[in-house]
Amino acid sequence: MIRVENVSNNWGEFSLKDISLNIKEDEYFIILGPTGAGKTLLLEIIAGLHFPKEGKVLIKGNDVTFLNPEKRGLGFVYQDFALFPHLNVKKNIEYGLKLRKVPEEEREKKVTELVNLLKIKHLLSRNTTTLSGGEKQKVALARALAINPKIILMDEPFSALDENTKSKLISDMKELHNKGGITFVHVTHSQEEAILLADRIGIMMGGTIVQVGTPDDIFYKPITREIAKFVKIENIWEGKVLDKNQDEMTIDVNGKKIVALPDHFKVGDGVRLIIRPEDILLGKGNTSARNEFNGKVLSVVKHGFYYIVRIDCGFEVEAAVTKQSIENLCIKEGKDINIFFKATALQVIKR
């Protein structure tokens, strides 16, 4: 559906560097990365608001690299909604249809369809300056959908919304996407949005795409230390492959032997082990886990509805545990405790 081929551009001190992406038809694709990674600039190149110095942008196989935005057949939902303050909700939604000289009867039919879909019929006569953030976002989305685009581009669409409003809109977006017929490209720095909405995610850092995959690929199998840190994995251990057979690989980490699944590494290779904190189990025994170590609790820190427990096992471990587990196991600083984790939960990358 959308192909970005070796796109590069520069804006003074910042550059997009050799970006290639292949976004599938009807896919919900999220471009995820920290602030300043170049996400919005990439989206604007796809939209035609900037032209690349090198590379191509293709939509449905057609080269649109230097085509003006209005000729690309895209809908664009901006971070700040960008509604026309002098027009009411209805006139905002039908604006693009009027520009295309769509007959009034057709416009009325389309507006009715969209306001019913997004549950904003009661807002039609309202001035946009009187709307809440969530209402403005729905109106902006309706306006983008009015021209029947096959592709919707969204730049941080939920960043200005409170958590409850954001949660409801995410649910609405999932429902809209499930109806099919539209490819979504959504830029965000929110990992929650990526997990809840994406079919696939492109991680962007420093002006380039560094990993593309499903949410499970990105959040459980990051391919670099930097990506692991970005997706909130602190368990990154340096080691060396000691032994390997067809079933498992043994890795030395600070004199401790950790078992992982066999991979393309060979004996003697330096590696990094990565594991999410929620995959670390605490307790008295777990026969299904091939890795078991005893350690001492360094700290217990509350993070919203769960706790991060740091443990020294000869290598430092972070485990995410529930309040119930903290109470049942009497976990506190200085306590000795066993940790367990499965070989299948480990991601092994080159050091």
Side-chain angles (χ1 to χ4, degrees), residues 34 45 72 82 92 112 117 145 196 207 220 240 251 294 332:
I45 280 181
R72 299 192 183 201
N92 262 277
T112 299
L117 175 69
L145 289 167
L196 292 173
Y220 287 90
K240 181 183 285 190
I251 297 158
N294 181 261
K332 59 185 178 181

Side-chain angles (χ1 to χ4, degrees), residues 116-341:
N116 287 335
L117 175 69
L118 294 168
K119 303 176 181 65
I120 54 172
K121 186 177 180 180
H122 61 292
L123 301 176
L124 276 176
S125 61
R126 290 266 298 273
N127 187 305
T128 58
T129 58
T130 69
L131 303 179
S132 69
E135 289 168 342
K136 286 179 180 178
Q137 195 59 278
K138 284 190 172 188
V139 174
L141 184 56
R143 186 178 63 183
L145 289 167
I147 60 171
N148 292 323
K150 293 298 181 186
I151 299 166
I152 294 278
L153 308 180
M154 299 192 294
D155 182 19
E156 298 277 8
F158 309 135
S159 63
L161 306 179
D162 64 77
E163 288 303 313
N164 285 340
T165 303
K166 181 165 93 167
S167 178
K168 289 173 186 172
L169 265 175
I170 286 173
S171 179
D172 289 340
M173 290 303 302
K174 288 175 79 169
E175 185 179 340
L176 181 60
H177 179 238
N178 288 340
K179 290 179 185 295
I182 301 174
T183 301
F184 288 90
V185 185
H186 174 151
V187 157
T188 186
H189 64 272
S190 167
Q191 296 181 27
E192 178 193 17
E193 291 172 29
I195 291 167
L196 292 173
L197 285 167
D199 294 319
R200 286 191 306 145
I201 299 166
I203 293 285
M204 195 165 186
M205 292 181 168
T208 195
I209 296 290
V210 292
Q211 185 175 355
V212 176
T214 66
D216 277 354
D217 291 335
I218 298 298
F219 288 95
Y220 287 90
K221 299 176 182 178
I223 61 173
T224 69
R225 180 188 182 91
E226 292 70 29
I227 299 169
K229 289 279 189 182
F230 175 68
V231 298
K232 300 176 183 174
I233 302 176
E234 294 297 329
N235 295 318
I236 306 170
W237 308 318
E238 309 278 330
K240 181 183 285 190
V241 178
L242 291 179
D243 191 22
K244 180 180 178 181
N245 59 42
Q246 63 180 8
D247 297 318
E248 62 185 39
M249 181 166 61
T250 304
I251 297 158
D252 174 78
V253 175
N254 288 353
K256 305 289 184 178
K257 292 181 180 179
I258 296 178
V259 177
L261 294 184
D263 208 322
H264 61 280
F265 299 103
K266 59 183 185 295
V267 172
D269 281 349
V271 296
R272 287 192 177 106
L273 298 177
I274 297 171
I275 185 169
R276 291 201 65 83
E278 56 266 32
D279 285 331
I280 303 290
L281 307 174
L282 307 183
K284 299 176 181 177
N286 188 312
T287 55
S288 67
R290 280 189 264 183
N291 295 288
E292 176 181 351
F293 301 94
N294 181 261
K296 190 177 290 292
V297 175
L298 299 174
S299 65
V300 181
V301 179
K302 188 175 183 181
H303 283 251
F305 295 106
Y306 66 95
Y307 290 77
I308 290 291
V309 181
R310 286 175 55 243
I311 303 147
D312 181 5
C313 297
F315 54 96
E316 195 169 302
V317 178
E318 281 198 359
V321 299
T322 64
K323 180 175 182 288
Q324 189 72 47
S325 293
I326 293 287
E327 293 172 355
N328 290 347
L329 296 170
C330 301
I331 297 172
K332 59 185 178 181
E333 188 175 328
K335 179 183 174 71
D336 286 334
I337 197 161
N338 285 356
I339 72 160
F340 309 86
F341 52 90

Side-chain angles (χ1 to χ4, degrees), residues 3-185:
R3 281 176 59 202
V4 178
E5 295 183 354
N6 309 112
V7 159
S8 297
N9 204 346
N10 62 73
W11 290 264
E13 295 181 359
F14 184 80
S15 298
L16 295 183
K17 307 161 202 164
D18 196 25
I19 294 173
S20 292
L21 275 178
N22 188 11
I23 299 169
K24 302 169 188 175
E25 189 168 2
D26 290 348
E27 184 171 39
Y28 203 115
F29 191 92
I30 282 189
I31 301 170
L32 176 67
T35 300
K39 305 182 299 294
T40 294
L41 291 172
L42 174 57
L43 196 72
E44 290 176 343
I45 280 181
I46 294 171
L49 299 173
H50 298 296
F51 298 148
K53 293 222 168 127
E54 296 175 25
K56 292 181 181 180
V57 178
L58 297 98
I59 296 176
K60 297 182 185 177
N62 299 313
D63 189 340
V64 300
T65 309
F66 300 106
L67 207 60
N68 289 332
E70 64 272 15
K71 295 181 179 177
R72 299 192 183 201
L74 308 172
F76 203 122
V77 179
Y78 293 91
Q79 179 177 354
D80 60 358
F81 318 124
L83 298 174
F84 302 118
H86 62 290
L87 300 178
N88 67 18
V89 167
K90 181 183 177 184
K91 288 179 179 177
N92 262 277
I93 294 172
E94 65 180 0
Y95 182 81
L97 298 173
K98 278 191 170 181
L99 280 183
R100 289 162 176 77
K101 303 192 186 315
V102 174
E104 184 176 358
E105 188 177 338
E106 272 186 61
R107 293 202 311 267
E108 291 288 337
K109 184 178 178 182
K110 190 64 182 177
V111 169
T112 299
E113 175 192 325
L114 289 169
V115 297
N116 287 335
L117 175 69
L118 294 168
K119 303 176 181 65
I120 54 172
K121 186 177 180 180
H122 61 292
L123 301 176
L124 276 176
S125 61
R126 290 266 298 273
N127 187 305
T128 58
T129 58
T130 69
L131 303 179
S132 69
E135 289 168 342
K136 286 179 180 178
Q137 195 59 278
K138 284 190 172 188
V139 174
L141 184 56
R143 186 178 63 183
L145 289 167
I147 60 171
N148 292 323
K150 293 298 181 186
I151 299 166
I152 294 278
L153 308 180
M154 299 192 294
D155 182 19
E156 298 277 8
F158 309 135
S159 63
L161 306 179
D162 64 77
E163 288 303 313
N164 285 340
T165 303
K166 181 165 93 167
S167 178
K168 289 173 186 172
L169 265 175
I170 286 173
S171 179
D172 289 340
M173 290 303 302
K174 288 175 79 169
E175 185 179 340
L176 181 60
H177 179 238
N178 288 340
K179 290 179 185 295
I182 301 174
T183 301
F184 288 90
V185 185

